[in-house]
Amino acid sequence: GILERAQSWSADAVLITGNLLNGETVERDTIAFLRRIFESLSPIPILISPGRHDPYTPTSPYATELWPENVHFFTGPEWQRVAIGSVSVYGFGHADRSLSKNPFEALHIPEGETTCIYMGPALAASLVKGEYTTGAVVDPAVLDDPRVAYVALGHLARATAIDTGSGPVTWYAGSPEGARFGDTGPHHYLEITIADNFPEVGSQAVEVSPIVTSAGRFFEVTLDCTDLDSGQALLD
């Protein structure tokens, strides 16, 4: 459904920031399904940053399967650049389940770039509690470049905007469906619009619209059972 919307909306690109798959053991039907729907979106590029649960390893489906030409994988923790029209997309991904260093410490935009997007599976610094060693941490200070229009992050299961102060607009899209009881409420994908004349018009040139995708929802309910006199009453 998300890709159908991307096609009808004439999206310039689709960004998937980690955990499209859940490990290297994937059903053949799942791979065939993904290849078919990705190819149906051609020539719109699909950019994928493999996450902790689906790293780009020599034996992963990302490396061993033949994917459509419009699919691009960011294959490791070093930044790679993909040009989408006049916009440069810089991305990284997991080559294993952890990252030995923080890729955001190595950000560098060459002279001549005008509008950039960063994408990758990472944890925002404002969310860190204690020492966090199993993934990249986004430090708003190193993202404070007027040419960076948007930062697409993967790590959280819920659509979440991150306050980076004067830094770029930064969001987690979250998962399209709730995967466990703790994922209560609706889930989303994000439609991002960047003005053609960014960055001259300022941060207002980036618009993010969360779109509800979840067909089912988990709810958390607290029940007062103090007056119930039997197990059947509790079940009822």
Side-chain angles (χ1 to χ4, degrees):
I2 295 172
L3 296 187
E4 289 174 354
R5 168 58 180 166
Q7 194 165 43
S8 64
W9 193 40
S10 298
D12 294 295
V14 173
L15 312 182
I16 300 175
T17 53
N19 299 347
L20 172 65
L21 306 176
N22 190 26
E24 294 187 5
T25 304
V26 183
E27 294 286 345
R28 297 298 310 169
D29 288 349
T30 299
I31 297 298
F33 169 75
L34 289 173
R35 289 171 54 182
R36 184 173 66 254
I37 62 171
F38 285 169
E39 189 171 24
S40 71
L41 203 63
S42 182
I44 297 174
I46 300 172
L47 310 183
I48 300 175
S49 292
R52 291 183 61 202
H53 296 287
D54 60 344
Y56 193 101
T57 68
T59 57
S60 72
Y62 296 149
T64 59
E65 297 291 337
L66 183 62
W67 296 92
E69 292 184 358
N70 62 319
V71 177
H72 176 85
F73 297 101
F74 295 106
T75 57
E78 303 299 327
W79 290 99
Q80 300 173 30
R81 175 184 176 272
V82 175
I84 307 295
S86 61
V87 176
S88 293
V89 181
Y90 290 87
F92 72 90
H94 280 257
D96 52 39
R97 289 185 62 85
S98 63
L99 292 168
S100 59
K101 60 181 180 179
N102 177 5
F104 286 90
E105 295 175 352
L107 293 180
H108 174 69
I109 306 177
E111 293 295 330
E113 298 280 4
T114 55
T115 304
C116 302
I117 294 173
Y118 287 124
M119 63 178 290
L123 188 70
S126 60
L127 302 175
V128 175
K129 294 180 175 61
E131 185 178 2
Y132 188 83
T133 59
T134 57
V137 176
V138 182
D139 180 0
V142 300
L143 298 177
D144 193 6
D145 187 309
R147 294 174 294 175
V148 182
Y150 185 75
V151 179
L153 298 179
H155 185 83
L156 301 184
R158 184 179 304 281
T160 305
I162 299 300
D163 182 7
T164 59
S166 60
V169 177
T170 302
W171 274 78
Y172 291 91
S175 59
E177 291 281 354
R180 56 188 63 85
F181 289 120
D183 293 342
T184 57
H187 283 249
H188 307 76
Y189 74 94
L190 304 177
E191 291 183 353
I192 302 105
T193 304
I194 302 174
D196 290 337
N197 58 341
F198 182 93
E200 286 81 1
V201 296
S203 61
Q204 293 80 11
V206 180
E207 180 182 348
V208 180
S209 300
I211 310 298
V212 174
T213 55
S214 47
R217 301 183 188 180
F218 292 106
F219 291 86
E220 184 175 305
V221 180
T222 301
L223 302 177
D224 182 0
C225 304
T226 54
D227 294 332
L228 303 182
D229 57 6
S230 68
Q232 184 59 49
L234 174 61
L235 291 174
D236 292 340

